[in-house]
Each structure stands twice: as structure tokens, then as C-alpha cells.
Amino acid sequence: MIKEYRQWFNRNYSESLYQQYLQALDSQYPGAIEFRVAETPVFVGRDFKHKMLDACEAIIDVITQDNFTAITDAAIPAEWNIPGSQPYSHFMVFDFGVCLGADGLPEPQLIEMQGFPSLFGFQSYMAAAAQKVYAIPGTLTTYLNGHTEESYLQLLRNIILGSCQPEEVILLDLFPHRQKTRIDFYCTQHYTGIKPVCLTALYSEGNRLYYTNENGQPVRVKRIYNRLIFDELEQQLPEVKAKGALLHEQLEVEWIPHPDWFYRVSKFTLPYLQHPYIPATSFLSDLLAIPDNLDQYVLKPLFSFSGRGVEIDVTAEMIKRITDRHNWILQRKVEYAPVIETPDGPAKTEIRVFYFWEEGKARPVATHNLARLSKGKMIGVSYNKRETWVGGSLAFFEED
């Protein structure tokens, strides 16, 4: 979106450089990246960056209100009301589509948010590879609020580990070595020392949580860096789903972040937000009448992941068929702008801003990002796989 950097990158790009980039990403963990990596980073100017962060801070204003947990208690499914709840989410992410404003200039529009970790390890790894292979100018950085690679990774370690030793902390997911995001798990292990562990490997003795390591020894778990999506657990075989009962026990374990926050900071929160860069959103159950201009809206289930269940071409009949309207939102549709010039046609992009909340701090702080490029209706690394210059990427911001 910074024209001179886009032209510079496109002018100097070659397929050979892209292959070097892919090889650099694949070198430390061969075969661990299943999703498509885009050929290019996104170059973001100061004005757009500040617009995006202004919207983020408006969301944080709502999240830090005294009544936020009371407002969002209804977001937590009864079957996943896990003990050990905490007063804040250690990690949050905010997704913005890059659109055009009334002035014809790029502007962010909030698409979604999560009180949940993202590819925090991999994006730092990716940033270093892109910087080196593509010789990105030093006036640009993927980090925010003055963070560097070193300070970012130190903050990540501090939050994940707390006062524990790495061997007392696990990265929890379902079958982590099969996940499409496993490259991030391996990067996180490299940067923090914690191991990815499957839910099915956990067991309790009294109020303590354990798993058995590769040497057959029991290892006590004191802290969980949570990457487990309960929506995914619900789709497993009965014997795997049954392992979820373990999480309902009163265990001496800390969650980073607690599963509550996946639901509290989510699509459920969107109707409570008002900002020029946050599209108007309503619970379907609050609608007094179905709008006539449904082509300007998108319909989303509250409890889904990776875009499952999202309806872009909404009809009145579709809405009338929904019986659990309190579990759906109708959001003003935003028009992604094809602002990324590529050799075979322009691409759209979405930028995810990472927020970290350090213990003892009044507010979380923006630290880093990821980006996704698309040439189709849907944004995400699972879509338009046959296209080029699409897929997972990251934004380099113009420094202040």
C-alpha cells in the first residue's frame, strides 16, 4: 500500500528469490508448512497503521471496562465453562480488511477478533526470513510500538512462562503434529522451550495435571499455553471428545490465556463496538426486521472457526431458517479493495494485529502482525490455492 515500496518490490522480484524465501522458511522445520506462503509482504504506511491501531485501542477501551466480563458471560457455552477463569486475556488478535474509504484512500475495517493466540512464533521467524531474502529496507518493520525481534520474543517468553520453567509449561492442542499451524508450534518451542502436547496425552492425579514424556517419565504441567479450539474438539471421535472432561476438573494449573477469552473477545463482542473502522453488527435475535439490502451484509455464526458457516450472499430465506438466532450476527459487509499490485492481477489483503497483555499492566499492547492475501471472495490461506501472489504473509510498517 506504500506505492514506492510496492513498485520497488515488484521491480526486483524474481521466482528465484521467492524460492529462496520458501527454502529459508522450510529449512529449520522441513515439511511443516502446509499452507501457501504468499510471494510478497504487504507494505503499510503510517496513516493506515495509525487508523488500524486507533480502532484496536477503541476495542481495548471496551474490553477493559469493569462490566465487560458480565456482558460477555453469555458468550461462554455452558459445556465449556472451564475452572480457573482469569480477569484478562494474555493474548488477543484483531483482523482488519483493507478497504477504500469515502476519500478513496485505503482504510481498515474490522472483520473479526479473538481472545486467543495466533502464529506468534512463526510470524517472527517469517519476518526474519523475508527481511533477509528480500533485503527489506531498514525503514520498515513488522513490529509495533517500538518492539524489535529481541524484545518481542522476550515478551512472548515472559508471558507464556510466567514464573515457571519451560518443562512445566505445555502448548496444548489436539494432535499438534498434524495441525496446519504446527510450524508455529515448533517455532514457539524453539523460542520458549515449551513442548506441544496433545490433549489425549494428559491425565490427572488428584488436582495435578501430567503427561508422560518420550522417556516414559511423568511430567507435571503447571501452565498451559492454550491453542486448543473446542469447536474442533467437538468434531472428534467420542473417545477423543471424552478427554475434554479432564479440563472440567479443579486442577492446579494456569491457562495462558484461559479458554473463556476465546468466547469473550470474539464475534460476540462486535455488536457492542462503535467506531468508524468497525462495521455495524447486530445479533440476529435483536433484529426487529430483516433489512431489504441484504446484499450489503454478511451472516456469521458466533461459534465457528476459520470462516466455517459464514454466509456472504445472504437471503431473507436463509435468515428465516435459522432457529437459534441468538447464536448468529448480521454484520455490515465490507468491500475488500484490490490494493496489492501483482504481476498477474491485484490482490486483496487482511491484516491481523497481535496484542500482548503483560501481568501487572493496565492494558495490552500491539506487538506484531500477520497478513493474508487473496484474489477470491474469501480471505485465508485455505482459499484460492491455484492463484499466485496469495496466501500467508505479513505487513511491514513504515516507522514513525
Side-chain angles (χ1 to χ4, degrees), residues 14 58 71 91 154 376 400:
S14 68
I71 290 172
F91 299 114
Q154 186 60 56
D400 294 324

Side-chain angles (χ1 to χ4, degrees), residues 207-221:
N207 58 1
R208 294 185 173 184
L209 188 64
Y210 295 88
Y211 73 96
T212 302
N213 67 15
E214 58 272 16
N215 298 320
Q217 299 171 322
V219 179
R220 185 180 171 193
V221 178

Side-chain angles (χ1 to χ4, degrees), residues 166-179:
E167 57 270 20
E168 298 172 322
V169 185
I170 62 168
L171 185 157
L172 179 66
D173 205 340
L174 271 176
F175 312 113
H177 301 289
R178 301 183 205 167
Q179 293 284 350

Side-chain angles (χ1 to χ4, degrees), residues 195 272 321 340 364:
K195 291 183 178 180
Y272 298 101
R321 286 196 299 267
I340 310 297

Side-chain angles (χ1 to χ4, degrees), residues 357-374:
W357 200 332
E358 195 172 10
E359 187 174 357
K361 301 293 185 183
R363 295 170 69 92
V365 62
T367 58
H368 202 217
N369 81 94
L370 66 72
R372 292 174 289 201
L373 278 71
S374 173

Side-chain angles (χ1 to χ4, degrees), residues 163 201 204 277 305 328 344 379 398:
S163 60
S204 62
Y277 305 135
F305 190 64
W328 291 77
D344 57 356
I379 299 283
E398 192 174 27

Side-chain angles (χ1 to χ4, degrees), residues 48-354:
F48 187 92
K49 176 178 71 172
H50 288 301
K51 287 177 181 178
M52 197 162 51
L53 292 178
D54 185 65
C56 289
E57 292 300 318
I59 301 168
I60 300 300
D61 287 342
V62 173
I63 291 171
T64 52
Q65 289 176 358
D66 292 340
N67 64 344
F68 183 73
T69 53
I71 290 172
T72 56
D73 279 344
I76 304 165
E79 64 271 27
W80 294 118
N81 200 342
I82 306 298
S85 122
Q86 293 165 327
Y88 66 95
S89 180
H90 303 78
F91 299 114
M92 289 177 282
V93 297
F94 305 111
D95 293 348
F96 291 91
V98 178
C99 308
L100 293 181
D103 57 4
L105 298 175
E107 73 172 25
Q109 286 291 329
L110 183 73
I111 304 301
E112 203 162 325
M113 55 187 176
Q114 297 171 359
F116 194 74
S118 188
L119 306 185
F120 297 154
F122 177 65
Q123 289 304 117
S124 187
Y125 178 67
M126 176 183 259
Q131 189 96 43
K132 182 177 180 180
V133 172
Y134 289 132
I136 305 295
T139 52
L140 301 173
T141 177
T142 60
Y143 298 97
L144 294 161
N145 284 312
H147 273 291
T148 62
E149 178 183 8
E150 182 180 5
S151 68
Y152 168 83
L153 291 175
Q154 186 60 56
L155 181 58
L156 183 66
R157 279 191 293 269
N158 290 347
I159 296 175
I160 290 177
L161 297 179
S163 60
C164 294
Q165 296 301 310
E167 57 270 20
E168 298 172 322
V169 185
I170 62 168
L171 185 157
L172 179 66
D173 205 340
L174 271 176
F175 312 113
H177 301 289
R178 301 183 205 167
Q179 293 284 350
K180 287 186 178 180
T181 52
R182 66 185 181 273
I183 179 65
D184 179 65
F185 301 167
Y186 303 151
C187 290
T188 302
Q189 181 174 2
H190 175 73
Y191 294 136
T192 67
I194 70 171
K195 291 183 178 180
V197 175
C198 182
L199 173 65
T200 60
L202 297 179
Y203 63 94
S204 62
E205 290 184 359
N207 58 1
R208 294 185 173 184
L209 188 64
Y210 295 88
Y211 73 96
T212 302
N213 67 15
E214 58 272 16
N215 298 320
Q217 299 171 322
V219 179
R220 185 180 171 193
V221 178
K222 294 184 178 180
R223 201 167 169 96
I224 295 172
Y225 177 46
N226 185 40
R227 299 298 300 273
L228 176 65
I229 303 290
F230 292 129
D231 183 56
E232 184 180 355
L233 178 58
E234 287 290 341
Q235 298 171 38
Q236 301 300 312
L237 294 171
E239 58 268 28
V240 177
K241 287 174 64 175
K243 289 295 292 188
L246 178 67
L247 305 179
H248 289 283
E249 297 180 17
Q250 293 287 345
L251 300 169
E252 290 183 359
V253 67
E254 291 180 296
W255 291 88
I256 311 297
H258 189 274
D260 282 2
W261 288 95
F262 178 80
Y263 300 104
R264 294 188 188 279
V265 180
S266 67
K267 291 187 283 290
F268 185 92
T269 320
L270 292 172
Y272 298 101
L273 305 176
Q274 292 185 344
H275 190 275
Y277 305 135
I278 300 176
T281 306
S282 300
F283 292 110
L284 210 53
S285 55
D286 289 345
L287 283 183
L288 299 177
I290 297 175
D292 294 327
N293 55 341
L294 284 175
D295 59 316
Q296 296 180 28
Y297 290 88
V298 60
L299 184 64
K300 297 181 178 181
L302 287 178
F303 307 114
S304 71
F305 190 64
S306 295
R308 285 196 293 267
V310 174
E311 298 288 353
I312 295 176
D313 301 313
V314 187
T315 65
E317 290 70 28
M318 191 181 291
I319 293 175
K320 290 174 183 176
R321 286 196 299 267
I322 295 173
T323 55
D324 59 335
R325 295 193 176 196
H326 60 287
N327 287 328
W328 291 77
I329 56 170
L330 194 65
Q331 184 180 45
R332 176 71 68 167
K333 189 181 289 185
V334 301
E335 192 71 35
Y336 288 80
V339 295
I340 310 297
E341 296 177 18
T342 83
D344 57 356
K348 308 167 189 175
T349 188
E350 188 173 278
I351 299 171
R352 171 173 291 179
V353 181
F354 300 166

